[in-house]
């Protein structure tokens, strides 16, 4: 309780749901994202409910800006207890041999390198304080590739490898590392994937009751609240009629 929680990509979907759930849990929030106006609106919403919130506007791909923003944190906000590496995206669903170089670069730079940047910037303080928790938002997509998922799936497989690697690297400390692997969650994810084609995006969730951002945020808060000797290492969270990244039964 009353931890300092930094969430990347807090302006939408799972990140926003985490902001609301951690705030309701009594935690202090550092909300980061690219959309300054949206961040201010969310800050206003949560402070009206009694939460303490700081916002930082940066793109996780911009290492220098991320570094300088973190350096602006007041002294008593620098001891980040929980890092939620959530910012991420999928772009396209083309076969690997037809994919867009630009889309690949954006996914790799955001989902892998952005996550690594945040980890590199925040975790040394946790190690020095011998306290902390990193919650990475991986995906069922990281367990096995699905048709057209190729590069996105590879980035989420990387999130699993980086979570597992970090867990080994901090095993001699009280720091915990959690990889949350959601399946179908209805957010802005598919709109982004299909470059704003809302019809195509809504078809992704047709005939199945998808997960919500809140469903994932509940697990993140649970992992954070678990007793210090309990490390929720990995959780796969699927919609009930989804069996894996490829098998989705629509009715
Ligand atoms: P949304 O599109 O709703 O939210 C994505 C968030 O990430 C937005 O706040 C977005 O900001 C932010 N973001 C994207 N790129 C950057 C960047 N370069 N720098 C900073 N912020 C960035 O999707 P979700 O909430 O669904 O996605 C959140 C995470 O969950 C992602 O890592 C995704 O891969 C993962 N995930 C999603 C699933 C799903 O089915 N929805 C399932 C499994 C995992 P902006 O608005 O500025 O783009
Ligand atoms: C998002 C879930 O199955 O669309 O990671 O890849 S999926």
């Amino acid at each position: 309780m009353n931890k300092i929680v930094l969430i990347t990509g807090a302006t939408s979907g799972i990140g926003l749901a985490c902001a609301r759930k951690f705030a309701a849990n009594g935690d202090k929030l550092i909300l980061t994202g690219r959309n300054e106006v949206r961040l201010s609106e969310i800050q206003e919403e949560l402070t009206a409910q009694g939460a303490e919130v700081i916002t930082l506007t940066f793109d996780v791909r911009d290492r220098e800006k991320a570094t300088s923003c973190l350096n602006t944190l007041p002294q008593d906000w620098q001891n980040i207890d929980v890092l939620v590496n959530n910012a991420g995206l999928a772009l396209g669903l083309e076969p690997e041999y037809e994919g867009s170089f630009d889309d690949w670069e954006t996914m790799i730079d955001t989902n892998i390198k952005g996550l690594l940047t945040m980890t590199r910037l925040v975790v040394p303080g946790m190690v020095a304080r011998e306290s902390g928790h990193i919650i990475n938002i991986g995906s069922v997509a990281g367990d096995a590739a699905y048709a057209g998922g190729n590069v996105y799936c590879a980035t989420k497989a990387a999130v699993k490898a980086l979570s597992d690697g970090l867990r080994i690297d901090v095993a001699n400390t009280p720091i915990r590392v959690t990889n949350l692997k959601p399946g179908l969650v209805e957010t802005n994810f598919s709109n982004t994937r299909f470059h704003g084609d809302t019809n195509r995006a809504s078809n992704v969730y047709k005939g199945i009751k998808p997960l919500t951002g809140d469903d994932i945020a509940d697990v993140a808060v649970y992992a954070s609240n678990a007793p210090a000797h309990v490390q929720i290492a990995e959780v796969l969270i699927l919609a009930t009629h989804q069996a894996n990244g490829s098998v989705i039964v629509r009715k």
Side-chain angles (χ1 to χ4, degrees):
M1 295 287 170
N2 230 333
K3 292 176 177 167
I4 298 178
V5 181
L6 186 152
I7 302 167
T8 65
T11 53
S12 173
I14 295 170
L16 175 55
C18 283
R20 289 178 171 142
K21 291 276 180 182
F22 276 104
N25 190 50
D27 294 315
K28 292 164 73 168
L29 297 174
I30 303 169
L31 302 183
T32 82
R34 297 186 288 192
N35 184 335
E36 194 164 10
V37 173
R38 212 38 216 122
L39 281 173
S40 298
E41 289 168 356
I42 297 161
Q43 181 180 36
E44 207 171 306
E45 170 195 322
L46 297 179
T47 47
Q49 294 162 17
E52 287 184 65
V53 182
I54 285 184
T55 64
L56 299 175
T57 309
F58 63 88
D59 185 314
V60 292
R61 293 171 296 175
D62 186 341
R63 199 171 290 160
E64 273 183 29
K65 184 86 189 289
T67 308
S68 62
C69 279
L70 287 180
N71 285 338
T72 66
L73 285 172
Q75 193 64 39
D76 55 339
W77 281 79
Q78 284 181 8
N79 295 351
I80 295 164
D81 297 298
V82 183
L83 167 64
V84 183
N85 270 321
N86 163 76
L89 77 174
L91 290 170
L93 201 61
E94 287 78 34
E96 195 166 314
Y97 56 87
E98 289 177 350
S100 148
F101 289 115
D102 285 346
D103 285 354
W104 291 352
E105 209 154 84
T106 304
M107 287 188 277
I108 291 166
D109 286 352
T110 309
N111 301 359
I112 304 177
K113 291 161 73 180
L115 175 142
L116 267 174
T117 294
M118 294 308 296
T119 302
R120 182 67 184 84
L121 292 176
V122 173
V123 176
M126 294 180 172
V127 172
R129 293 188 299 277
E130 298 209 328
S131 164
H133 192 164
I134 301 91
I135 301 178
N136 289 332
I137 306 299
S139 172
V140 64
D143 282 358
Y146 54 77
N150 45 70
V151 173
Y152 176 69
C153 295
T155 67
K156 291 300 180 177
V159 172
K160 174 174 167 51
L162 295 171
S163 305
D164 291 346
L166 182 61
R167 200 175 301 109
I168 294 166
D169 296 337
V170 297
N172 61 336
T173 78
I175 296 167
R176 303 181 293 183
V177 181
T178 298
N179 181 23
L180 294 187
K181 305 188 300 183
L184 279 181
V185 188
E186 191 164 15
T187 61
N188 204 41
F189 178 84
S190 294
N191 275 327
T192 300
R193 165 168 256 171
F194 299 126
H195 298 281
D197 182 340
T198 46
N199 264 349
R200 203 172 166 198
S202 63
N203 279 338
V204 174
Y205 310 107
K206 279 236 168 88
I208 183 165
K209 188 172 165 66
L211 299 165
T212 66
D214 280 350
D215 296 325
I216 310 308
D218 279 337
V219 183
V221 172
Y222 177 86
S224 172
N225 285 347
H229 69 287
V230 178
Q231 176 171 221
I232 309 292
E234 193 169 290
V235 187
L236 176 64
I237 310 147
L238 299 175
T240 298
H241 293 291
Q242 174 173 24
N244 57 37
S246 303
V247 177
I248 296 163
V249 178
R250 300 175 193 277
K251 296 181 180 176

PDB file of all heavy atoms in Angstrom, residues 165-194:
ATOM      1  N   GLY A 165      15.163 -13.012 -17.744  1.00  0.00           N
ATOM      2  CA  GLY A 165      16.569 -12.633 -17.536  1.00  0.00           C
ATOM      3  C   GLY A 165      16.721 -11.701 -16.354  1.00  0.00           C
ATOM      4  O   GLY A 165      17.602 -11.879 -15.499  1.00  0.00           O
ATOM      5  N   LEU A 166      15.829 -10.706 -16.269  1.00  0.00           N
ATOM      6  CA  LEU A 166      15.904  -9.745 -15.166  1.00  0.00           C
ATOM      7  C   LEU A 166      15.650 -10.449 -13.830  1.00  0.00           C
ATOM      8  O   LEU A 166      16.315 -10.163 -12.820  1.00  0.00           O
ATOM      9  CB  LEU A 166      14.866  -8.628 -15.396  1.00  0.00           C
ATOM     10  CG  LEU A 166      14.833  -7.515 -14.350  1.00  0.00           C
ATOM     11  CD1 LEU A 166      16.166  -6.773 -14.278  1.00  0.00           C
ATOM     12  CD2 LEU A 166      13.695  -6.525 -14.663  1.00  0.00           C
ATOM     13  N   ARG A 167      14.699 -11.416 -13.853  1.00  0.00           N
ATOM     14  CA  ARG A 167      14.384 -12.145 -12.609  1.00  0.00           C
ATOM     15  C   ARG A 167      15.619 -12.877 -12.090  1.00  0.00           C
ATOM     16  O   ARG A 167      15.861 -12.955 -10.885  1.00  0.00           O
ATOM     17  CB  ARG A 167      13.224 -13.111 -12.849  1.00  0.00           C
ATOM     18  CG  ARG A 167      12.519 -13.552 -11.570  1.00  0.00           C
ATOM     19  CD  ARG A 167      11.303 -14.424 -11.854  1.00  0.00           C
ATOM     20  NE  ARG A 167      10.311 -13.770 -12.671  1.00  0.00           N
ATOM     21  CZ  ARG A 167      10.041 -14.090 -13.938  1.00  0.00           C
ATOM     22  NH1 ARG A 167      10.674 -15.098 -14.528  1.00  0.00           N
ATOM     23  NH2 ARG A 167       9.138 -13.414 -14.622  1.00  0.00           N
ATOM     24  N   ILE A 168      16.403 -13.404 -13.012  1.00  0.00           N
ATOM     25  CA  ILE A 168      17.662 -14.070 -12.613  1.00  0.00           C
ATOM     26  C   ILE A 168      18.636 -13.028 -12.052  1.00  0.00           C
ATOM     27  O   ILE A 168      19.259 -13.224 -11.005  1.00  0.00           O
ATOM     28  CB  ILE A 168      18.299 -14.788 -13.827  1.00  0.00           C
ATOM     29  CG1 ILE A 168      17.408 -15.936 -14.299  1.00  0.00           C
ATOM     30  CG2 ILE A 168      19.712 -15.289 -13.478  1.00  0.00           C
ATOM     31  CD1 ILE A 168      17.765 -16.476 -15.678  1.00  0.00           C
ATOM     32  N   ASP A 169      18.724 -11.890 -12.764  1.00  0.00           N
ATOM     33  CA  ASP A 169      19.718 -10.874 -12.385  1.00  0.00           C
ATOM     34  C   ASP A 169      19.426 -10.239 -11.026  1.00  0.00           C
ATOM     35  O   ASP A 169      20.343  -9.711 -10.392  1.00  0.00           O
ATOM     36  CB  ASP A 169      19.786  -9.784 -13.471  1.00  0.00           C
ATOM     37  CG  ASP A 169      20.285 -10.345 -14.795  1.00  0.00           C
ATOM     38  OD1 ASP A 169      20.968 -11.388 -14.784  1.00  0.00           O
ATOM     39  OD2 ASP A 169      19.969  -9.750 -15.851  1.00  0.00           O
ATOM     40  N   VAL A 170      18.162 -10.261 -10.589  1.00  0.00           N
ATOM     41  CA  VAL A 170      17.827  -9.642  -9.285  1.00  0.00           C
ATOM     42  C   VAL A 170      17.458 -10.699  -8.233  1.00  0.00           C
ATOM     43  O   VAL A 170      16.963 -10.356  -7.154  1.00  0.00           O
ATOM     44  CB  VAL A 170      16.689  -8.589  -9.400  1.00  0.00           C
ATOM     45  CG1 VAL A 170      17.115  -7.426 -10.276  1.00  0.00           C
ATOM     46  CG2 VAL A 170      15.390  -9.220  -9.897  1.00  0.00           C
ATOM     47  N   ALA A 171      17.741 -11.960  -8.553  1.00  0.00           N
ATOM     48  CA  ALA A 171      17.318 -13.033  -7.634  1.00  0.00           C
ATOM     49  C   ALA A 171      18.019 -12.929  -6.268  1.00  0.00           C
ATOM     50  O   ALA A 171      17.520 -13.469  -5.278  1.00  0.00           O
ATOM     51  CB  ALA A 171      17.566 -14.401  -8.267  1.00  0.00           C
ATOM     52  N   ASN A 172      19.137 -12.235  -6.242  1.00  0.00           N
ATOM     53  CA  ASN A 172      19.829 -12.060  -4.952  1.00  0.00           C
ATOM     54  C   ASN A 172      19.351 -10.821  -4.206  1.00  0.00           C
ATOM     55  O   ASN A 172      19.975 -10.396  -3.228  1.00  0.00           O
ATOM     56  CB  ASN A 172      21.353 -11.975  -5.180  1.00  0.00           C
ATOM     57  CG  ASN A 172      21.728 -10.792  -6.048  1.00  0.00           C
ATOM     58  OD1 ASN A 172      20.901 -10.306  -6.819  1.00  0.00           O
ATOM     59  ND2 ASN A 172      22.959 -10.320  -5.931  1.00  0.00           N
ATOM     60  N   THR A 173      18.264 -10.227  -4.680  1.00  0.00           N
ATOM     61  CA  THR A 173      17.679  -9.045  -4.019  1.00  0.00           C
ATOM     62  C   THR A 173      16.199  -9.339  -3.737  1.00  0.00           C
ATOM     63  O   THR A 173      15.652 -10.311  -4.265  1.00  0.00           O
ATOM     64  CB  THR A 173      17.743  -7.790  -4.934  1.00  0.00           C
ATOM     65  OG1 THR A 173      16.683  -7.872  -5.914  1.00  0.00           O
ATOM     66  CG2 THR A 173      19.075  -7.656  -5.651  1.00  0.00           C
ATOM     67  N   PRO A 174      15.531  -8.473  -2.977  1.00  0.00           N
ATOM     68  CA  PRO A 174      14.085  -8.688  -2.740  1.00  0.00           C
ATOM     69  C   PRO A 174      13.210  -8.212  -3.909  1.00  0.00           C
ATOM     70  O   PRO A 174      11.982  -8.193  -3.785  1.00  0.00           O
ATOM     71  CB  PRO A 174      13.807  -7.841  -1.490  1.00  0.00           C
ATOM     72  CG  PRO A 174      15.135  -7.406  -0.970  1.00  0.00           C
ATOM     73  CD  PRO A 174      16.069  -7.406  -2.124  1.00  0.00           C
ATOM     74  N   ILE A 175      13.833  -7.813  -5.013  1.00  0.00           N
ATOM     75  CA  ILE A 175      13.056  -7.275  -6.149  1.00  0.00           C
ATOM     76  C   ILE A 175      12.312  -8.404  -6.870  1.00  0.00           C
ATOM     77  O   ILE A 175      12.858  -9.494  -7.065  1.00  0.00           O
ATOM     78  CB  ILE A 175      14.006  -6.539  -7.117  1.00  0.00           C
ATOM     79  CG1 ILE A 175      14.617  -5.332  -6.398  1.00  0.00           C
ATOM     80  CG2 ILE A 175      13.272  -6.106  -8.379  1.00  0.00           C
ATOM     81  CD1 ILE A 175      15.781  -4.712  -7.127  1.00  0.00           C
ATOM     82  N   ARG A 176      11.065  -8.104  -7.258  1.00  0.00           N
ATOM     83  CA  ARG A 176      10.237  -9.117  -7.940  1.00  0.00           C
ATOM     84  C   ARG A 176       9.991  -8.710  -9.393  1.00  0.00           C
ATOM     85  O   ARG A 176       9.914  -7.513  -9.708  1.00  0.00           O
ATOM     86  CB  ARG A 176       8.895  -9.270  -7.201  1.00  0.00           C
ATOM     87  CG  ARG A 176       9.099  -9.645  -5.738  1.00  0.00           C
ATOM     88  CD  ARG A 176       7.794  -9.813  -4.999  1.00  0.00           C
ATOM     89  NE  ARG A 176       7.058  -8.569  -4.844  1.00  0.00           N
ATOM     90  CZ  ARG A 176       5.910  -8.468  -4.175  1.00  0.00           C
ATOM     91  NH1 ARG A 176       5.378  -9.536  -3.619  1.00  0.00           N
ATOM     92  NH2 ARG A 176       5.299  -7.302  -4.073  1.00  0.00           N
ATOM     93  N   VAL A 177       9.872  -9.715 -10.247  1.00  0.00           N
ATOM     94  CA  VAL A 177       9.621  -9.456 -11.678  1.00  0.00           C
ATOM     95  C   VAL A 177       8.425 -10.289 -12.123  1.00  0.00           C
ATOM     96  O   VAL A 177       8.405 -11.512 -11.953  1.00  0.00           O
ATOM     97  CB  VAL A 177      10.851  -9.809 -12.544  1.00  0.00           C
ATOM     98  CG1 VAL A 177      10.566  -9.515 -14.019  1.00  0.00           C
ATOM     99  CG2 VAL A 177      12.092  -9.058 -12.075  1.00  0.00           C
ATOM    100  N   THR A 178       7.440  -9.603 -12.697  1.00  0.00           N
ATOM    101  CA  THR A 178       6.207 -10.257 -13.138  1.00  0.00           C
ATOM    102  C   THR A 178       6.014 -10.025 -14.635  1.00  0.00           C
ATOM    103  O   THR A 178       6.132  -8.890 -15.104  1.00  0.00           O
ATOM    104  CB  THR A 178       5.003  -9.647 -12.375  1.00  0.00           C
ATOM    105  OG1 THR A 178       5.162  -9.883 -10.970  1.00  0.00           O
ATOM    106  CG2 THR A 178       3.691 -10.258 -12.839  1.00  0.00           C
ATOM    107  N   ASN A 179       5.717 -11.097 -15.356  1.00  0.00           N
ATOM    108  CA  ASN A 179       5.343 -10.953 -16.768  1.00  0.00           C
ATOM    109  C   ASN A 179       3.865 -11.311 -16.904  1.00  0.00           C
ATOM    110  O   ASN A 179       3.486 -12.468 -16.741  1.00  0.00           O
ATOM    111  CB  ASN A 179       6.206 -11.883 -17.637  1.00  0.00           C
ATOM    112  CG  ASN A 179       5.894 -11.760 -19.127  1.00  0.00           C
ATOM    113  OD1 ASN A 179       5.371 -10.742 -19.581  1.00  0.00           O
ATOM    114  ND2 ASN A 179       6.210 -12.795 -19.886  1.00  0.00           N
ATOM    115  N   LEU A 180       3.036 -10.302 -17.188  1.00  0.00           N
ATOM    116  CA  LEU A 180       1.601 -10.553 -17.394  1.00  0.00           C
ATOM    117  C   LEU A 180       1.359 -10.770 -18.880  1.00  0.00           C
ATOM    118  O   LEU A 180       1.780  -9.954 -19.712  1.00  0.00           O
ATOM    119  CB  LEU A 180       0.766  -9.362 -16.910  1.00  0.00           C
ATOM    120  CG  LEU A 180       0.788  -9.077 -15.415  1.00  0.00           C
ATOM    121  CD1 LEU A 180      -0.221  -7.978 -15.078  1.00  0.00           C
ATOM    122  CD2 LEU A 180       0.496 -10.328 -14.608  1.00  0.00           C
ATOM    123  N   LYS A 181       0.669 -11.860 -19.203  1.00  0.00           N
ATOM    124  CA  LYS A 181       0.488 -12.225 -20.614  1.00  0.00           C
ATOM    125  C   LYS A 181      -1.005 -12.281 -20.955  1.00  0.00           C
ATOM    126  O   LYS A 181      -1.625 -13.347 -20.889  1.00  0.00           O
ATOM    127  CB  LYS A 181       1.139 -13.582 -20.871  1.00  0.00           C
ATOM    128  CG  LYS A 181       2.623 -13.628 -20.470  1.00  0.00           C
ATOM    129  CD  LYS A 181       3.301 -14.896 -20.903  1.00  0.00           C
ATOM    130  CE  LYS A 181       2.669 -16.120 -20.316  1.00  0.00           C
ATOM    131  NZ  LYS A 181       3.363 -17.365 -20.676  1.00  0.00           N
ATOM    132  N   PRO A 182      -1.592 -11.126 -21.312  1.00  0.00           N
ATOM    133  CA  PRO A 182      -3.011 -11.132 -21.659  1.00  0.00           C
ATOM    134  C   PRO A 182      -3.256 -11.730 -23.039  1.00  0.00           C
ATOM    135  O   PRO A 182      -2.385 -11.707 -23.905  1.00  0.00           O
ATOM    136  CB  PRO A 182      -3.381  -9.642 -21.671  1.00  0.00           C
ATOM    137  CG  PRO A 182      -2.232  -8.913 -21.057  1.00  0.00           C
ATOM    138  CD  PRO A 182      -1.031  -9.763 -21.294  1.00  0.00           C
ATOM    139  N   GLY A 183      -4.494 -12.229 -23.203  1.00  0.00           N
ATOM    140  CA  GLY A 183      -4.983 -12.596 -24.535  1.00  0.00           C
ATOM    141  C   GLY A 183      -5.748 -11.408 -25.099  1.00  0.00           C
ATOM    142  O   GLY A 183      -5.288 -10.274 -24.992  1.00  0.00           O
ATOM    143  N   LEU A 184      -6.936 -11.678 -25.639  1.00  0.00           N
ATOM    144  CA  LEU A 184      -7.738 -10.618 -26.279  1.00  0.00           C
ATOM    145  C   LEU A 184      -8.269  -9.616 -25.264  1.00  0.00           C
ATOM    146  O   LEU A 184      -9.146  -9.953 -24.462  1.00  0.00           O
ATOM    147  CB  LEU A 184      -8.955 -11.237 -26.944  1.00  0.00           C
ATOM    148  CG  LEU A 184      -8.863 -11.881 -28.313  1.00  0.00           C
ATOM    149  CD1 LEU A 184     -10.244 -12.384 -28.709  1.00  0.00           C
ATOM    150  CD2 LEU A 184      -8.338 -10.906 -29.348  1.00  0.00           C
ATOM    151  N   VAL A 185      -7.783  -8.401 -25.304  1.00  0.00           N
ATOM    152  CA  VAL A 185      -8.284  -7.343 -24.419  1.00  0.00           C
ATOM    153  C   VAL A 185      -8.819  -6.225 -25.312  1.00  0.00           C
ATOM    154  O   VAL A 185      -8.095  -5.728 -26.189  1.00  0.00           O
ATOM    155  CB  VAL A 185      -7.159  -6.761 -23.537  1.00  0.00           C
ATOM    156  CG1 VAL A 185      -7.737  -5.815 -22.492  1.00  0.00           C
ATOM    157  CG2 VAL A 185      -6.344  -7.864 -22.872  1.00  0.00           C
ATOM    158  N   GLU A 186     -10.060  -5.827 -25.104  1.00  0.00           N
ATOM    159  CA  GLU A 186     -10.624  -4.782 -25.969  1.00  0.00           C
ATOM    160  C   GLU A 186     -10.154  -3.410 -25.492  1.00  0.00           C
ATOM    161  O   GLU A 186     -10.572  -2.911 -24.451  1.00  0.00           O
ATOM    162  CB  GLU A 186     -12.152  -4.856 -26.005  1.00  0.00           C
ATOM    163  CG  GLU A 186     -12.702  -3.952 -27.104  1.00  0.00           C
ATOM    164  CD  GLU A 186     -14.143  -4.263 -27.466  1.00  0.00           C
ATOM    165  OE1 GLU A 186     -14.821  -4.975 -26.699  1.00  0.00           O
ATOM    166  OE2 GLU A 186     -14.586  -3.774 -28.520  1.00  0.00           O
ATOM    167  N   THR A 187      -9.256  -2.828 -26.259  1.00  0.00           N
ATOM    168  CA  THR A 187      -8.674  -1.503 -25.971  1.00  0.00           C
ATOM    169  C   THR A 187      -8.522  -0.813 -27.324  1.00  0.00           C
ATOM    170  O   THR A 187      -9.131  -1.217 -28.303  1.00  0.00           O
ATOM    171  CB  THR A 187      -7.280  -1.657 -25.323  1.00  0.00           C
ATOM    172  OG1 THR A 187      -6.436  -2.348 -26.265  1.00  0.00           O
ATOM    173  CG2 THR A 187      -7.318  -2.448 -24.019  1.00  0.00           C
ATOM    174  N   ASN A 188      -7.624   0.136 -27.392  1.00  0.00           N
ATOM    175  CA  ASN A 188      -7.340   0.775 -28.682  1.00  0.00           C
ATOM    176  C   ASN A 188      -6.340  -0.047 -29.509  1.00  0.00           C
ATOM    177  O   ASN A 188      -5.973   0.338 -30.622  1.00  0.00           O
ATOM    178  CB  ASN A 188      -6.792   2.184 -28.431  1.00  0.00           C
ATOM    179  CG  ASN A 188      -7.029   3.075 -29.617  1.00  0.00           C
ATOM    180  OD1 ASN A 188      -8.099   3.026 -30.237  1.00  0.00           O
ATOM    181  ND2 ASN A 188      -6.038   3.853 -29.990  1.00  0.00           N
ATOM    182  N   PHE A 189      -5.925  -1.183 -28.949  1.00  0.00           N
ATOM    183  CA  PHE A 189      -4.871  -2.029 -29.545  1.00  0.00           C
ATOM    184  C   PHE A 189      -5.132  -2.360 -31.020  1.00  0.00           C
ATOM    185  O   PHE A 189      -4.254  -2.186 -31.869  1.00  0.00           O
ATOM    186  CB  PHE A 189      -4.785  -3.309 -28.711  1.00  0.00           C
ATOM    187  CG  PHE A 189      -3.798  -4.329 -29.192  1.00  0.00           C
ATOM    188  CD1 PHE A 189      -2.463  -4.252 -28.840  1.00  0.00           C
ATOM    189  CD2 PHE A 189      -4.207  -5.394 -29.991  1.00  0.00           C
ATOM    190  CE1 PHE A 189      -1.554  -5.208 -29.275  1.00  0.00           C
ATOM    191  CE2 PHE A 189      -3.311  -6.348 -30.431  1.00  0.00           C
ATOM    192  CZ  PHE A 189      -1.971  -6.261 -30.072  1.00  0.00           C
ATOM    193  N   SER A 190      -6.348  -2.821 -31.326  1.00  0.00           N
ATOM    194  CA  SER A 190      -6.618  -3.263 -32.710  1.00  0.00           C
ATOM    195  C   SER A 190      -6.789  -2.082 -33.655  1.00  0.00           C
ATOM    196  O   SER A 190      -6.427  -2.166 -34.832  1.00  0.00           O
ATOM    197  CB  SER A 190      -7.835  -4.193 -32.754  1.00  0.00           C
ATOM    198  OG  SER A 190      -7.524  -5.389 -32.058  1.00  0.00           O
ATOM    199  N   ASN A 191      -7.324  -0.963 -33.153  1.00  0.00           N
ATOM    200  CA  ASN A 191      -7.366   0.255 -33.986  1.00  0.00           C
ATOM    201  C   ASN A 191      -5.971   0.643 -34.414  1.00  0.00           C
ATOM    202  O   ASN A 191      -5.734   1.012 -35.556  1.00  0.00           O
ATOM    203  CB  ASN A 191      -7.961   1.426 -33.185  1.00  0.00           C
ATOM    204  CG  ASN A 191      -9.472   1.428 -33.241  1.00  0.00           C
ATOM    205  OD1 ASN A 191     -10.053   1.036 -34.240  1.00  0.00           O
ATOM    206  ND2 ASN A 191     -10.089   1.850 -32.158  1.00  0.00           N
ATOM    207  N   THR A 192      -5.050   0.571 -33.454  1.00  0.00           N
ATOM    208  CA  THR A 192      -3.658   0.904 -33.775  1.00  0.00           C
ATOM    209  C   THR A 192      -3.091  -0.120 -34.750  1.00  0.00           C
ATOM    210  O   THR A 192      -2.461   0.241 -35.747  1.00  0.00           O
ATOM    211  CB  THR A 192      -2.820   0.931 -32.476  1.00  0.00           C
ATOM    212  OG1 THR A 192      -3.365   1.915 -31.612  1.00  0.00           O
ATOM    213  CG2 THR A 192      -1.358   1.256 -32.752  1.00  0.00           C
ATOM    214  N   ARG A 193      -3.354  -1.405 -34.474  1.00  0.00           N
ATOM    215  CA  ARG A 193      -2.787  -2.461 -35.329  1.00  0.00           C
ATOM    216  C   ARG A 193      -3.218  -2.275 -36.786  1.00  0.00           C
ATOM    217  O   ARG A 193      -2.432  -2.442 -37.700  1.00  0.00           O
ATOM    218  CB  ARG A 193      -3.216  -3.842 -34.811  1.00  0.00           C
ATOM    219  CG  ARG A 193      -2.986  -4.950 -35.817  1.00  0.00           C
ATOM    220  CD  ARG A 193      -3.140  -6.328 -35.226  1.00  0.00           C
ATOM    221  NE  ARG A 193      -1.833  -6.912 -35.019  1.00  0.00           N
ATOM    222  CZ  ARG A 193      -1.595  -8.034 -34.372  1.00  0.00           C
ATOM    223  NH1 ARG A 193      -2.575  -8.701 -33.827  1.00  0.00           N
ATOM    224  NH2 ARG A 193      -0.377  -8.506 -34.257  1.00  0.00           N
ATOM    225  N   PHE A 194      -4.506  -1.915 -36.969  1.00  0.00           N
ATOM    226  CA  PHE A 194      -5.030  -1.788 -38.326  1.00  0.00           C
ATOM    227  C   PHE A 194      -5.027  -0.337 -38.792  1.00  0.00           C
ATOM    228  O   PHE A 194      -5.831   0.052 -39.644  1.00  0.00           O
ATOM    229  CB  PHE A 194      -6.419  -2.433 -38.412  1.00  0.00           C
ATOM    230  CG  PHE A 194      -6.396  -3.908 -38.085  1.00  0.00           C
ATOM    231  CD1 PHE A 194      -7.223  -4.439 -37.106  1.00  0.00           C
ATOM    232  CD2 PHE A 194      -5.517  -4.767 -38.736  1.00  0.00           C
ATOM    233  CE1 PHE A 194      -7.179  -5.795 -36.787  1.00  0.00           C
ATOM    234  CE2 PHE A 194      -5.474  -6.121 -38.420  1.00  0.00           C
ATOM    235  CZ  PHE A 194      -6.299  -6.638 -37.450  1.00  0.00           C
TER     236      PHE A 194
END
